[in-house]
Amino acid sequence: MAETKALSEPQKALIKLGLGRDVDLALHLPLRYEDETRIVKLRDCREGETAQIEATVTDSQVQFRGRRQLVVTVDDGTDTCQLRFFSFYPSQQKALAVGTRLRIRGELKGGFAGWGMMHPTYKPAGGELPEALTPVYSTVAALPQAYLRKAVQSGLARADLSETLPPDAPPAPARATTWTLLQALQFLHHPTPDVSLAALEDHSHPAWQRLKAEELLAQQLSQLESRREHEQLRAAPLVPGRGGLHEQLLAALPFQLTAAQRRVSEEIAQGLARATPMNRLLQGDVGSGKTVVAALAAAIAIDAGRQCALMAPTEILAEQHFRKLIGWLEPLLAPRGQRVAWLTGSQRKKERVEMLELVASGEAALVIGTHAVIQEQVQFKALGLAVIDEQHRFGVEQRLALRGKTAGEGNEPHMLMMSATPIPRTLAMSYYADLDVSTIDELPPGRTPVVTKLISDSRREEVIERIRAQAAAGRQVYWVCPLIEESESLDLTNATETHVALSEALPGVMVGLLHSRMPQPEKKAVMSLFTGGQMGVLVSTTVIEVGVDVPNASLMVIEHAERFGLSQLHQLRGRVGRGAAASACVLLYSAGDNGRLGETARSRLKAMAETIDGFEIARRDLEIRGPGEFLGARQSGAPLLRFADLVLDAALLEWAKALAPILLDRHPELARKHVMRWLGGRQDYLKA
Ligand code: ADP
Ligand code: MG
């Protein structure tokens, strides 16, 4: 075996920072720059400024003022400055001897005794001044700045930074391709002092644009590759109409589908009919009627002799789907000798065994449940379609597990994911390029838009008055208390106290309490009282966040609304306005100790008051929070974009998306080189 040379500490640190390759070093861009190109006079300096001066040592002594220190006085002809060193070697003392002329650089502090610098850097005066700004890189203790600077410099010199954009590439926006990558990197590591620092800092400089364009292209290429890999997979084509279940279900529905529901159902039917597994996101605002679209897709799968699995993130939601789908489908399935199975974590052993049996034998045409659906013991006879509701609640692993539940190699299930949190277009383009998206962009008719009110917590009494009026009119009310992350028990106290207070304030109205740590049967009992209409007010923690459907509920009160995220608020608001009655959402907020709401909280509440359009909400959410939250579990551990910004660089993203297929088809070598350069071995993260 070849002997491997032991790595030095800085070398290990480089690898840990992901700077193992020359090109990684070249792409490690400075955090900021220092201007060592000029010598300034002390007379012209300002407090706090990092200055480079040339001066002569006029005094040097070791003092004991609390601590032993070396104090050196220098004079540059315009003023004097005291340099202070708390740790020093005899050799340094010698270098700083009286009469020596030095070039000194450090942060200037003014004081009683005039200028001072703490631990400045220094070297003999004279010598050439650099022509470029000096880069300062982000680093760690084990990796000294000077070492890293040299490493980056040699990485930059050695790395293959040849052009990967083909001659037939369309010109990029923002002058991004007026610079080559090599030029851009050389410039960004060592910019000339005349550059606008603002353009470097806000990344609007063409050199930065080039980098962002490159990065986005790498991302688009790897997404496109993974999409093409996906297309190699084989699924059983599910063609609608063979058994007539789809038509029967349509005829049995108590309402007409909206045009949007018809359109997405058609898109889904086409996807299911293909021999490549469908990977589709169905997005539609809360209440837009995604469940029935899922039921129609399930009917297609069942018609084609396959099973359909439907997975929801909570038991309450799963149960609600179960009831609705049973109501719709069971009367149609029963005459065919088929059943609907139910799988959850809280199920009794005996019932579970029975259900597993139904799933394995194929008698259960439809399987509904929570995560329990993807557990190992669950064996499907012929899974054709997996539907995942509120997909952002699930992680990659869970989706992959569902994908693994197949009858065998080359027989992948089709996947339909549903979400009420629409993914902004830019995000969909950059991270979900391997996903087809269907959008329901209209609500069923007859809904009155929800009116949103921001009310300070000090006016709670008025809100309770309003609840009383709603209850008297036979309407129902949700009251949501926030989840306090640091303390589950506090969270509970909050909800419990509100429950007591509301019960007292509203005699004659049944006020229920629902929180996540209640035993399942109790949760069910409370929920069924509320769904059944006997319970007037439901106080809960955020367990009702997703999917609950009680059309008679007309008022949603959210306490401490300032603590919720925007899409969460929107989801909650979507619980009302589901019937014909005029509905309202009250966002109760309390300002912090300083009597003011934080900036982010304020912009969230403002967005809620200004729009009820889920897409607009999502767009603003992206602005407020950045992409991390949307990506959720999908991107855990994955490299997010380092340089580009999906909102600010949308035009570059469009360009990269258009270029990716050209590059992959006509210049596969360049494409490979480009992806390797930018993503090295990391591109797999992006594919899950
Ligand atoms: P979401 O998209 O939030 O999951 P649901 O599927 O729960 O919405 O649907 C919300 C409500 O609207 C349900 O009561 C559902 O039965 C009803 N609904 C769905 N489609 C229509 C339609 N085309 N016309 C009338 N009501 C509909
Ligand atoms: Mg739903």
Side-chain angles (χ1 to χ4, degrees):
M1 222 171 81
E3 210 174 304
T4 43
K5 223 165 62 191
L7 292 177
S8 70
E9 285 306 313
Q11 280 170 326
K12 280 188 217 156
L14 278 179
I15 289 174
K16 224 168 148 189
L17 286 177
L19 301 176
R21 305 176 304 162
D22 287 332
V23 67
D24 298 328
L25 284 162
L27 293 174
H28 189 61
L29 289 183
L31 275 182
R32 56 188 178 84
Y33 303 94
E34 281 177 356
D35 189 352
E36 295 181 329
T37 63
R38 299 176 300 141
I39 306 287
V40 295
K41 291 293 178 196
L42 281 169
R43 185 181 50 204
D44 304 328
C45 288
R46 275 170 295 114
E47 161 84 32
E49 167 179 354
T50 298
Q52 178 165 262
I53 56 170
E54 284 198 345
T56 309
V57 179
T58 55
D59 186 51
S60 172
Q61 47 183 288
V62 177
Q63 297 182 351
F64 292 88
R65 277 197 253 160
R67 264 174 84 185
R68 184 168 174 268
Q69 50 192 276
L70 175 63
V71 180
V72 176
T73 309
V74 298
D75 186 336
D76 79 341
T78 66
D79 206 344
T80 62
C81 181
Q82 278 199 338
L83 319 179
R84 216 169 274 279
F85 301 86
F86 287 108
S87 56
F88 54 93
Y89 300 104
S91 61
Q92 273 175 301
Q93 250 171 301
K94 217 185 264 168
L96 293 163
V98 173
T100 321
R101 213 170 145 65
L102 298 169
R103 181 177 294 173
I104 303 153
R105 182 184 169 75
E107 194 183 329
L108 274 173
K109 292 274 181 234
F112 294 117
W115 291 121
M117 281 185 188
M118 205 76 113
H119 285 262
T121 58
Y122 58 87
K123 56 185 170 194
E128 256 176 73
L129 286 169
E131 277 168 24
L133 299 180
T134 309
V136 179
Y137 299 100
S138 77
T139 185
V140 290
L143 188 59
Q145 187 66 229
Y147 185 100
L148 181 55
R149 245 178 225 153
K150 277 204 196 104
V152 168
Q153 189 52 40
S154 55
L156 188 59
R158 277 195 309 254
D160 170 13
L161 295 169
S162 54
E163 188 59 85
T164 48
L165 298 188
D168 51 343
R175 295 188 294 147
T177 41
T178 54
W179 292 55
T180 66
L181 177 64
L182 181 62
Q183 286 167 338
L185 286 175
Q186 282 173 341
F187 178 79
L188 291 175
H189 284 290
H190 301 285
T192 45
D194 58 347
V195 70
S196 145
L197 281 176
L200 286 185
E201 262 156 35
D202 70 8
H203 294 188
S204 64
H205 192 280
W208 268 112
Q209 297 291 340
R210 169 73 202 223
L211 251 93
K212 296 197 271 193
E214 289 253 331
E215 179 180 43
L216 289 166
L217 179 60
Q219 185 199 42
Q220 290 301 309
L221 281 170
S222 100
Q223 291 273 311
L224 185 60
E225 274 182 330
S226 81
R227 188 186 175 100
R228 289 182 176 181
E229 270 169 35
H230 179 85
E231 292 193 337
Q232 299 301 309
L233 298 174
R234 284 290 154 256
L238 308 176
V239 182
R242 246 186 276 167
L245 187 61
H246 188 257
E247 270 53 50
Q248 286 171 17
L249 175 56
L250 268 180
L253 288 175
F255 47 73
Q256 293 272 310
L257 293 186
T258 61
Q261 284 171 320
R262 276 200 302 276
R263 176 175 43 77
V264 299
S265 292
E266 182 52 34
E267 287 166 11
I268 292 168
Q270 281 174 9
L272 294 177
R274 298 186 59 208
T276 43
M278 181 175 78
N279 196 24
R280 182 174 299 271
L281 177 69
L282 172 60
Q283 54 181 20
D285 212 342
V286 274
S288 60
K290 295 183 291 292
T291 318
V292 66
V293 174
L296 288 165
I300 294 177
I302 297 167
D303 265 345
R306 293 280 170 148
Q307 291 169 293
C308 173
L310 197 141
M311 196 162 84
T314 66
E315 200 144 337
I316 286 185
L317 195 58
E319 167 143 12
Q320 182 182 300
H321 278 308
F322 188 51
R323 288 187 191 287
K324 199 151 236 175
L325 289 165
I326 282 190
W328 286 333
L329 282 170
E330 193 136 83
L332 306 177
L333 289 175
R336 306 160 163 245
Q338 289 180 313
R339 308 252 324 249
V340 182
W342 170 240
L343 284 170
T344 73
S346 71
Q347 214 159 23
R348 282 213 200 84
K349 181 107 195 283
K350 181 159 168 287
E351 190 188 356
R352 186 173 170 77
V353 170
E354 269 172 37
M355 291 295 170
L356 287 176
E357 184 52 38
L358 288 179
V359 179
S361 69
E363 193 181 333
L366 184 61
V367 184
I368 303 177
T370 56
H371 296 84
V373 170
I374 49 169
Q375 264 145 31
E376 259 170 52
Q377 315 91 297
V378 186
Q379 294 289 334
F380 289 85
K381 177 143 188 275
L383 181 61
L385 169 67
V387 181
I388 304 181
D389 197 13
E390 309 293 345
Q391 65 91 25
H392 58 287
R393 292 289 194 97
F394 291 98
V396 183
E397 311 79 43
Q398 289 156 338
R399 293 213 292 273
L400 291 180
L402 203 45
R403 175 137 274 157
K405 297 261 165 227
T406 57
E409 235 354 80
N411 217 343
E412 304 271 331
H414 297 277
M415 294 265 244
L416 179 64
M417 291 167 269
M418 307 200 284
S419 175
T421 307
I423 303 172
R425 207 177 108 73
T426 46
L427 208 57
M429 274 171 58
S430 53
Y431 288 102
Y432 294 79
D434 54 342
L435 204 63
D436 291 315
V437 179
S438 289
T439 305
I440 306 186
D441 52 7
E442 86 186 286
L443 295 178
R447 306 257 170 95
T448 44
V450 181
V451 175
T452 304
K453 292 232 157 74
L454 304 187
I455 299 184
S456 158
D457 196 48
S458 57
R459 291 166 56 199
R460 218 178 157 92
E461 281 310 314
E462 291 168 41
V463 177
I464 293 177
E465 197 47 51
R466 195 162 175 164
I467 295 179
R468 202 171 285 135
Q470 290 294 313
R475 302 268 167 225
Q476 291 167 281
V477 178
Y478 293 103
W479 183 298
V480 178
C481 302
L483 198 81
I484 297 168
E485 273 181 24
E486 314 84 71
S487 153
E488 266 193 62
S489 56
L490 242 165
D491 171 24
L492 201 55
T493 319
N494 190 343
T496 318
E497 277 170 8
T498 305
H499 175 234
V500 171
L502 288 178
S503 306
E504 281 171 8
L506 300 165
V509 178
M510 191 197 287
V511 181
L513 175 64
L514 189 70
H515 60 78
S516 46
R517 282 182 305 158
M518 260 158 61
Q520 202 59 39
E522 224 175 287
K523 274 191 203 167
K524 278 189 193 164
V526 171
M527 248 353 256
S528 80
L529 282 171
F530 192 68
T531 331
Q534 297 100 312
M535 185 179 283
V537 180
L538 179 63
V539 178
S540 80
T541 54
T542 44
V543 280
I544 58 151
E545 184 192 334
V546 284
V548 179
D549 185 33
V550 179
N552 189 45
S554 58
L555 177 60
M556 163 69 64
V557 182
I558 305 175
E559 194 173 342
H560 280 300
E562 76 282 357
R563 294 191 194 156
F564 289 85
L566 191 47
S567 66
Q568 219 180 359
L569 288 173
H570 181 66
Q571 286 266 354
L572 286 169
R573 176 169 59 184
R575 296 307 113 215
V576 291
R578 311 196 131 221
S583 300
C585 173
V586 170
L587 304 176
L588 273 181
Y589 64 90
S590 13
D593 298 336
N594 59 0
R596 285 163 45 107
L597 272 180
E599 176 103 27
T600 330
R602 201 171 29 208
S603 49
R604 282 198 300 251
L605 296 182
K606 187 159 169 280
M608 282 294 289
E610 284 173 0
T611 178
I612 52 164
D613 175 355
F615 284 84
E616 177 60 16
I617 294 267
R619 201 188 57 71
R620 296 210 195 178
D621 208 12
L622 181 64
E623 258 173 34
I624 298 172
R625 292 190 302 180
E629 299 276 338
F630 282 91
L631 301 168
R634 180 185 174 88
Q635 291 296 322
S636 55
L640 289 172
L641 293 168
R642 288 152 70 189
F643 304 131
D645 177 300
L646 292 178
V647 177
L648 297 176
D649 301 316
L652 284 177
L653 177 58
E654 298 273 357
W655 169 85
K657 192 175 171 67
L659 180 54
I662 299 179
L663 205 55
L664 216 50
D665 294 334
R666 298 191 208 149
H667 313 278
E669 262 313 297
L670 290 179
R672 200 192 54 81
K673 195 163 157 186
H674 190 88
V675 170
M676 276 310 288
R677 173 181 294 167
W678 276 90
L679 298 172
R682 295 174 303 163
Q683 63 266 43
D684 280 345
Y685 281 121
L686 291 163
K687 290 186 184 170

